[in-house]
Amino acid sequence: MYFKQIYSTPLGELLLVGTETELVGAWFTDQKYFAPDFSLEKIADVETPALKQARAWLTEYFNGQIPTTKITLAPQVTPFRQRVLQQLQQIPYGTTATYQELAKQLASHPRAVGGAVAHNPLSLFIPCHRVLASDGSLHGYAGGLDRKQALLELEQIL
């Protein structure tokens, strides 16, 4: 059974979806690919332990701290996207990678990696905002390039 809550960030509202123990989704409410495959009207607005942990993590993050709150993430994606998301989780706070670097690590094509990154169901928690174009420029972010820039500035990358 899924539950949901809205968390207000300095960059807009974030919808959190999870079970009692796992976070399965986090999307800015106005982003591309918003909560696909979820019938949000059928999901109760209830704070579960997983959603409470997610809110604590986000509070730490937006206070400029490296979050220490532990969260169990459970994205429901294809095996290829799972591999991409696992690679994204290896990009440390305060650093970036390029789509080309990720593609090389995954023995894949940068466009395939870009598509998987774009459909990341756990925005912020799995740091797709830390991925840049091969020339180091900001490129592609389902939440919008303004948010991507703000997140990188928060992490003092830009």
Side-chain angles (χ1 to χ4, degrees):
M1 177 174 264
Y2 295 118
F3 303 95
K4 67 181 177 186
Q5 283 198 310
I6 294 288
Y7 180 85
S8 293
T9 80
L11 302 176
E13 291 187 333
L14 198 66
L15 173 69
L16 303 173
V17 175
T19 65
E20 286 284 334
T21 58
E22 301 172 323
L23 186 66
V24 299
W27 303 270
F28 285 103
T29 57
D30 61 350
Q31 79 173 54
K32 285 183 184 179
Y33 318 118
F34 176 74
D37 305 321
F38 287 95
S39 298
L40 296 177
E41 66 280 352
K42 296 178 182 177
I43 299 176
D45 188 348
V46 175
E47 183 175 68
T48 65
L51 296 179
K52 186 175 182 176
Q53 290 169 326
R55 294 169 66 87
W57 189 99
L58 289 164
T59 298
E60 290 174 319
Y61 181 81
F62 282 108
N63 283 335
Q65 303 166 359
I66 298 173
T68 58
T69 301
K70 301 296 180 208
I71 301 170
T72 301
L73 303 177
Q76 299 173 354
V77 296
T78 65
F80 174 74
R81 287 186 179 175
Q82 185 67 42
R83 289 181 45 230
V84 173
L85 296 179
Q86 288 170 347
Q87 201 65 41
L88 289 175
Q89 291 177 78
Q90 302 307 309
I91 305 170
Y93 182 100
T95 64
T96 60
T98 67
Y99 293 99
Q100 190 169 355
E101 291 168 342
L102 291 174
K104 186 176 180 179
Q105 293 166 352
L106 293 161
S108 186
H109 191 276
R111 287 183 191 236
V113 170
V117 170
H119 289 84
N120 173 10
L122 286 156
S123 186
L124 302 179
F125 296 94
I126 297 178
C128 55
H129 61 278
R130 297 181 189 147
V131 182
L132 305 176
S134 59
D135 65 1
S137 65
L138 299 184
H139 180 75
Y141 184 64
L145 290 181
D146 289 346
R147 278 194 185 115
K148 183 173 190 163
Q149 180 171 345
L151 293 168
L152 295 174
E153 288 173 357
L154 176 69
E155 294 184 23
Q156 300 180 353
I157 297 172
L158 293 180

